[in-house]
Amino acid sequence: MPSIGSLHAGYYAADKGWYRAVVDACEAEDRVRVTYADFGKSEVIPISWLRPLASRFTALPLQAVQCSLAGIQAIGGDWLADATSFFRQHVGVVGSTQLVVHCVAERNGISEVHVFSTLAHETTVSGLLVEAGLAQSSRLGAVLGNSGVVCMDLFDRSSNSAGAIGEQL
């Protein structure tokens, strides 16, 4: 049984590729929950889909960063499908939408961020969710406002190709 937190090559059935995978939990005698370290997808897979990872692939830092939207929270505690769909619509598909993400805080290893999208016309996606009645403001947003430093920009200005960075992740 692989140890929790260990890094492996994990098979991803959706595209039949092998990716760096971190073991998050043991789900059964022959199954583990993994997070694919470079794009953030998490799923339960058979242990047989894990392979040792060559050391040359462990030196690169993990490329996926766990984030949450700063300044808002789900109404009633859980995000509704409408809110998730709205978020995806306004963030779009990397490659078709310019995204700028401002980190405003980090709590328990999770970056709290404001997401700006060209589809949102310089308004945070969080603000749009609140305006649409799909989220409510939280105290964090009142304290932090729109301040912060840019920690990620998913638009590669040097190549004039939206999404070039995201596609590499």
Side-chain angles (χ1 to χ4, degrees):
M1 182 68 70
S3 60
I4 306 249
S6 59
L7 187 61
H8 300 269
Y11 182 70
Y12 183 58
D15 68 4
K16 299 181 175 130
W18 290 88
Y19 299 93
R20 296 189 309 165
V22 177
V23 176
D24 298 323
C26 298
E27 297 285 329
E29 187 176 305
D30 63 341
R31 299 179 77 69
V32 292
R33 173 163 294 283
V34 299
T35 298
Y36 296 98
D38 299 317
F39 59 93
K41 171 96 171 123
S42 183
E43 66 180 357
V44 176
I45 63 171
I47 291 173
S48 63
W49 288 9
L50 293 178
R51 299 286 186 271
L53 189 63
S55 61
R56 70 179 186 266
F57 296 117
T58 61
L60 179 67
L62 304 181
Q63 300 299 296
V65 177
Q66 191 172 9
C67 297
S68 68
L69 293 174
I72 64 168
Q73 58 192 22
I75 297 172
D78 293 320
W79 289 106
L80 301 175
D82 288 348
T84 302
S85 294
F86 186 92
F87 176 81
R88 288 189 175 131
Q89 174 188 356
H90 282 81
V91 170
V93 177
V94 172
S96 65
T97 304
Q98 178 180 349
L99 301 176
V100 178
V101 179
H102 290 263
C103 295
V104 295
E106 186 173 326
R107 302 202 195 310
N108 302 320
I110 299 173
S111 296
E112 296 183 12
V113 300
H114 287 300
V115 177
F116 297 86
S117 163
T118 54
L119 294 177
H121 305 291
E122 302 301 322
T123 303
T124 66
V125 176
S126 299
L128 293 173
L129 280 161
V130 171
E131 287 174 16
L134 299 169
Q136 60 189 13
S137 293
S138 66
R139 183 164 170 10
L140 175 65
V143 171
L144 295 172
N146 285 331
S147 64
V149 296
V150 175
C151 64
M152 184 185 309
D153 186 342
L154 295 179
F155 180 76
D156 183 355
R157 291 176 186 7
S158 65
S159 70
N160 293 322
S161 170
I165 294 172
E167 290 169 5
Q168 294 172 11
L169 302 178

